[in-house]
Amino acid sequence: MDCRSLEIYDNTKDPCGPMYYNGIYHEFYQYNPGGTIAENIVWGHSVSTDLVNWIQLEPAIVRDTPYDIHGCWTGSITILSGDQPVIIYTGRDSEDHQSQNIVLPKNRSDPYLREWTKADNNPRILPVGPDLNSTEFRDPTTGWIGPDGLWRIAIGAELNGYGAALLYKSEDFLDWTRIDHPLYSDNAPSMWECPDFFAVLPGNNGGLDLSAAIPKGAKHVLKMSVDYSDKYMIGVYDLKRDAFVPDVVLDDRRLWLRIDYGTFYASKSFFDSKKGRRIIWGWSNETDSVSDDGVKGWAGIHAIPRTIWLDSDGKQLLQWPVDEIESLRRNEINHQGLELKNGDIFEIKGTDTLQADVEVDFELTSIDSADPFDPSWLFDVERHCREAGASVQGGIGPFGLVVLASDNMEEHIAVHFRVYKSQQSHMILMCSDLRRSSLRSGLYTPAYGGFFEFDLEKERKISLRTLIDRSAVESFGGGGRVCITARIYPVALVDGRVHMYAFNNGSTTVRVPQLRAWSMMTAQVNVNKG
């Protein structure tokens, strides 16, 4: 299942230009074809008809000009009128100055778009002005139509020492002019990497195409990669001001919403015209050592592609693995009517515990015993997950799954929930605790976590879906309200003897009306050269 390259040595990083074009899904990505560290970066290129099985092609963009000799870094693809795809990407020169450059397909009749040609007169956008840092000016977004009918893009930058998404406009997508104000800026001294800007409709899991008219009632999402995670704001695109206006302004970035609360960064979304949805991809880095990467011969994977949309209340994004992933399911195991009392543990047998897809609903028998919620926990959720681990009894919870567990439980990962009562509703804590994931030393093994608000007066079921693929564990809680990607390296993976359990260590009994698990086949990822 892992979206990793099967070359002898490689490093895979940021998704760059995902798109659906003439019946083919394309994924471009930062790629070092000759080593496991992030240098000598080119644009890797893989294609698929189903988002599951991928063919790796030759790199689409290589570093062969002075303006990108130190790397062809992150960018995006926009499909212009006339069905013309255009790449815009960041090049780094020998002095690490960054610029934005245009690339066009050499032969649009080639279904795989194997060859790409850099435009004349690159670079097209330079970091001009005393307010910009030329080494912090990168990662252009997919284009959209502005209020004057011209194209817009945003570029991540350091503006007067602060993070910003700069705004540029163009009539032909070749010649660009900087607008005198950013799309949005922050008051913290660090640049925004990999910005993404797209429209969503509350409660509608369909996607919106930014090159078409945006319907009334739509919101906009501004996502940025900062503080080692992907964060986002929901707001409106003010056409008069030509600026993004967030619904809620939070000065403390620790309180910003996240796409994923685990090892997930530099995500990029696109509108899938085939199924009318928006799909997002993210990069999941290794959390062992550089020397371990050398031994493996590869470093970095892409998380499973997800459909992303706005919740009906308009307050947060929801995410779910694309439906196509279910084509890998085999040998369903189904349990119904389970009851987990305090201290109960139920082993899920009959499935491949190394490669599995598990969906479970936890139904609360009572919400009276919920412990009080402390808003200060939001400033350091990982710390709270450490203090309120899976073995620490609470009023409601912890309950959830234990995966990749060794015979004696010396190694295991606990993905679990706790329920808290806030002043107005209930807050659900979801943790993915890696602290006992491996007996190996020198690994990064945090207890990831995120909170989501949930109306337990209306709905007593809390869902959890966890996809396990050896070193990758991706979990989706509360219908995709909190997502956590984890990278783990258990010793038990060597002999393949690992177990999976549902458990409850809370004082309140939890029912499991349905638990389904499947073994997952191995996808064909970058096996064949096109």
Side-chain angles (χ1 to χ4, degrees):
M1 286 161 56
D2 282 352
C3 187
R4 69 167 69 98
S5 172
L6 299 182
E7 291 293 308
I8 296 176
Y9 288 101
D10 68 16
N11 175 278
T12 299
K13 292 179 85 268
D14 307 9
C16 290
M19 72 169 176
Y20 179 76
Y21 185 76
N22 287 346
I24 302 291
Y25 290 102
H26 295 256
E27 174 71 317
F28 301 86
Y29 43 92
Q30 289 184 12
Y31 180 59
N32 177 3
T36 57
I37 59 177
E39 61 180 22
N40 305 321
I41 294 296
V42 301
W43 268 41
H45 184 193
S46 297
V47 293
S48 173
T49 58
D50 60 6
L51 293 170
V52 176
N53 301 290
W54 293 85
I55 297 171
Q56 185 180 37
L57 307 176
E58 292 299 317
I61 312 173
V62 298
R63 47 188 198 93
D64 59 1
T65 63
Y67 56 79
D68 64 9
I69 197 65
H70 272 200
C72 305
W73 297 88
T74 301
S76 299
I77 288 184
T78 301
I79 300 177
L80 308 183
S81 60
D83 215 25
Q84 172 67 61
V86 179
I87 288 174
I88 182 166
Y89 77 99
T90 300
R92 286 173 56 185
D93 67 16
S94 59
E95 297 181 350
D96 282 341
H97 298 311
Q98 297 168 9
S99 63
Q100 315 313 319
N101 307 279
I102 295 291
V103 186
L104 301 167
K106 189 174 182 179
N107 178 12
R108 285 164 55 189
S109 65
D110 175 9
Y112 286 175
L113 300 178
R114 291 175 175 86
E115 297 181 273
W116 293 76
T117 302
K118 295 176 183 177
D120 295 335
N121 301 321
N122 276 339
R124 290 289 175 161
I125 307 177
L126 294 168
V128 177
D131 54 351
L132 296 182
N133 181 345
S134 64
T135 65
E136 303 284 10
F137 178 74
R138 56 186 177 270
D139 310 338
T141 65
T142 300
W144 72 92
I145 302 296
D148 52 7
L150 301 182
W151 284 103
R152 297 288 193 278
I153 60 168
I155 298 174
E158 185 180 287
L159 178 64
N160 292 315
Y162 298 100
L166 302 183
L167 195 57
Y168 289 80
K169 65 180 179 179
S170 173
E171 186 173 352
D172 59 5
F173 223 84
L174 293 174
D175 297 311
W176 293 89
T177 301
R178 179 181 165 188
I179 295 176
D180 61 4
H181 61 271
L183 179 66
Y184 191 75
S185 61
D186 185 20
N187 59 3
S190 59
M191 80 155 287
W192 292 354
E193 292 190 299
C194 305
D196 198 2
F197 187 59
F198 55 92
V200 285
L201 275 172
N204 187 331
N205 62 4
L208 295 176
D209 183 358
L210 287 183
S211 65
I214 301 301
K216 290 184 178 180
K219 294 280 191 177
H220 276 74
V221 176
L222 178 60
K223 168 256 152 186
M224 67 293 294
S225 299
V226 66
D227 303 329
Y228 307 104
S229 61
D230 278 13
K231 302 183 179 183
Y232 70 92
M233 304 175 186
I234 297 169
V236 295
Y237 180 37
D238 188 324
L239 296 178
K240 291 183 179 179
R241 294 172 52 190
D242 201 7
F244 173 74
V245 181
D247 291 341
V248 178
V249 177
L250 298 170
D251 291 332
D252 194 322
R253 290 201 309 227
R254 292 176 296 177
L255 299 177
W256 290 9
L257 295 167
R258 298 190 189 186
I259 298 291
D260 190 292
Y261 289 81
T263 308
F264 186 97
Y265 195 74
S267 60
K268 183 74 69 175
S269 74
F270 76 104
F271 175 69
D272 175 15
S273 59
K274 179 181 181 180
K275 294 193 174 182
R277 58 188 171 177
R278 180 159 292 273
I279 294 174
I280 190 168
W281 257 295
W283 164 53
S284 185
N285 196 16
E286 305 303 311
T287 55
D288 51 1
S289 68
V290 174
S291 60
D292 289 328
D293 295 340
V295 172
K296 294 195 302 279
W298 55 271
I301 64 172
H302 287 175
I304 290 171
R306 309 167 179 179
T307 305
I308 186 167
W309 70 100
L310 184 62
D311 199 359
S312 57
D313 63 8
K315 293 182 179 180
Q316 72 173 100
L317 296 173
L318 304 178
Q319 298 168 78
W320 201 250
V322 294
D323 293 341
E324 289 86 342
I325 294 298
E326 297 175 12
S327 66
L328 297 174
R329 288 173 167 177
R330 295 293 184 273
N331 305 324
E332 179 180 354
I333 303 299
N334 194 323
H335 296 281
Q336 297 180 352
L338 301 177
E339 188 172 88
L340 299 175
K341 298 178 181 179
N342 174 245
D344 283 353
I345 186 167
F346 175 82
E347 184 165 8
I348 304 166
K349 297 181 179 181
T351 190
D352 182 351
T353 50
L354 294 175
Q355 289 186 186
D357 186 357
V358 187
E359 292 192 34
V360 55
D361 289 330
F362 296 98
E363 184 176 34
L364 307 182
T365 58
S366 170
I367 58 175
D368 297 335
S369 299
D371 296 319
F373 173 69
D374 183 346
S376 69
W377 293 336
L378 295 172
F379 291 95
D380 193 346
V381 183
E382 289 189 13
R383 176 181 177 181
H384 188 55
C385 280
R386 294 193 301 270
E387 294 174 346
S391 62
V392 179
Q393 179 176 318
I396 306 178
F399 56 86
L401 293 173
V402 171
V403 301
L404 295 176
S406 60
D407 288 337
N408 56 10
M409 291 284 282
E410 284 186 318
E411 293 182 320
H412 66 268
I413 298 92
V415 184
H416 60 88
F417 298 111
R418 285 177 182 267
V419 178
Y420 294 100
K421 181 70 175 75
S422 64
Q423 289 184 344
Q424 298 177 339
S425 61
H426 287 85
M427 296 294 288
I428 313 298
L429 172 67
M430 176 177 165
C431 301
S432 182
D433 192 341
L434 313 188
R435 289 176 295 167
R436 297 183 62 183
S437 60
S438 180
L439 294 174
R440 291 175 52 193
S441 61
L443 304 177
Y444 180 57
T445 54
Y448 297 119
F451 278 100
F452 63 92
E453 192 173 355
F454 203 69
D455 190 350
L456 290 175
E457 300 292 345
K458 293 183 178 180
E459 177 59 67
R460 293 291 182 92
K461 293 179 184 178
I462 303 173
S463 68
L464 175 62
R465 182 178 181 183
T466 295
L467 292 112
I468 304 152
D469 192 5
R470 298 177 180 269
S471 76
V473 177
E474 298 183 51
S475 298
F476 302 81
R481 289 172 172 83
V482 166
C483 308
I484 304 177
T485 299
R487 303 300 309 282
I488 40 83
Y489 311 92
V491 174
L493 286 181
V494 176
D495 59 23
R497 290 180 55 85
V498 294
H499 305 267
M500 180 164 51
Y501 306 91
F503 78 96
N504 176 29
N505 281 331
S507 60
T508 301
T509 296
V510 175
R511 296 193 184 100
V512 179
Q514 181 160 272
L515 185 158
R516 297 190 298 166
W518 297 263
S519 300
M520 297 293 276
M521 296 176 61
T522 299
Q524 299 300 305
V525 178
N526 289 353
V527 174
N528 300 311
K529 288 277 187 176

